[in-house]
Amino acid sequence: MARKDQTEMAVLGALNMRPMTAYALREAIREVLGHFWSESFGQIYPTLHALEERGHVVRHEGPRAGSSIFSVTQPGVARLRELLNEPIAAVPPRNGLLLRLFFGRLLGPERCRELIEQAKADAERRLAEYAALAAQIEIEDRGSPDLPYTLMTVSAGRRGAEAVIAWAAEALALLDGQPKTPPKTPPKTPAAGTSRDVPTPARAGDSPPNGAQR
């Protein structure tokens, strides 16, 4: 699925929950979907206008002068169902922490330990946030048919944070006993053809090195 199609799915899905202004739409995506999905201003507004031109959303006059409220149309709901049924796009992994740890011998165990402990602290903070979010959703959406589906996404985030915490404990154990300082950079080998590669010929009368006899 193309990136723009995924943005369409997020916009149509949010508007299917309730009509809202463009600003409220951005905030809804950030607050409701933010624990697993993000969209920027530069993605939301062009997508919203394109959906309006295709008749997938319609604009209504807002409560304030000059403001507009957008709602999804029946063709928009059909488009949302179509997008939801498309194959999930595979995302190539890009993990800056693991990239650094892979070359961690050059950083040294102490710096690697700092990075892992920071990742563990971040995961513990997220775990507490997911617990609070789940409790809030269960109260606010009690009786809603969407409740089990919403809780699935929160559960996935919670399990991911728990996995990071468990991995951090294993990673820190692997660093135990390692030297505390990174290895020194080995001296550069002179390029071939330099004077350091070719021994200076002995001249008549020179003494051999280390007092050796000729």
Side-chain angles (χ1 to χ4, degrees):
M1 178 184 288
R3 181 69 179 86
K4 66 180 183 63
D5 290 341
Q6 296 187 90
T7 303
E8 280 189 15
M9 184 166 55
V11 169
L12 288 171
L15 289 178
N16 191 54
M17 296 169 60
R18 62 180 175 86
M20 61 188 89
T21 65
Y23 176 80
L25 171 64
R26 186 201 66 163
E27 292 301 296
I29 291 176
R30 183 177 66 85
E31 295 176 3
V32 179
L33 309 181
H35 62 287
F36 64 89
W37 193 261
S38 65
E39 296 287 353
S40 68
F41 272 132
Q43 294 164 332
I44 291 175
Y45 288 112
T47 299
L48 185 60
H49 294 152
L51 290 170
E52 182 183 12
E53 290 178 355
R54 296 201 298 268
H56 292 156
V57 303
V58 63
R59 183 192 302 252
H60 308 278
E61 185 176 349
R64 299 190 309 274
S67 66
S68 299
I69 293 179
F70 296 87
S71 61
V72 66
T73 64
Q74 285 303 314
V77 174
R79 173 59 175 163
L80 176 58
R81 291 182 186 276
E82 177 186 329
L83 291 169
L84 289 170
N85 278 290
E86 288 189 10
I88 298 173
V91 180
R94 293 178 65 88
N95 188 311
L97 171 61
L98 295 185
L99 183 62
R100 286 163 175 78
L101 293 179
F102 187 84
F103 301 109
R105 184 173 60 84
L106 298 177
L107 279 176
E110 290 306 303
R111 178 55 181 152
C112 289
R113 184 177 294 276
E114 291 174 3
L115 293 174
I116 295 168
E117 288 176 344
Q118 181 61 56
K120 179 174 179 287
D122 291 342
E124 290 171 340
R125 173 184 53 78
R126 293 196 307 273
L127 189 59
E129 291 174 352
Y130 286 129
L133 180 60
Q136 178 184 351
I137 290 172
E138 288 180 340
I139 293 173
E140 294 180 352
D141 295 351
R142 182 174 299 159
S144 169
D146 292 327
L147 179 60
Y149 304 100
T150 305
L151 289 178
M152 286 179 195
T153 66
V154 179
S155 177
R158 178 170 58 84
R159 294 296 186 184
E162 290 172 346
V164 170
I165 294 170
W167 162 81
E170 293 181 6
L172 291 171
L174 288 172
L175 291 177
D176 291 342
Q178 296 297 313
K180 292 188 176 182
T181 56
K184 294 181 179 179
T185 303
K188 294 182 179 179
T189 303
T194 62
S195 59
R196 293 165 62 185
D197 292 315
V198 181
T200 303
R203 294 173 298 177
D206 284 348
S207 299
N210 302 323
Q213 299 295 319
R214 288 193 180 93

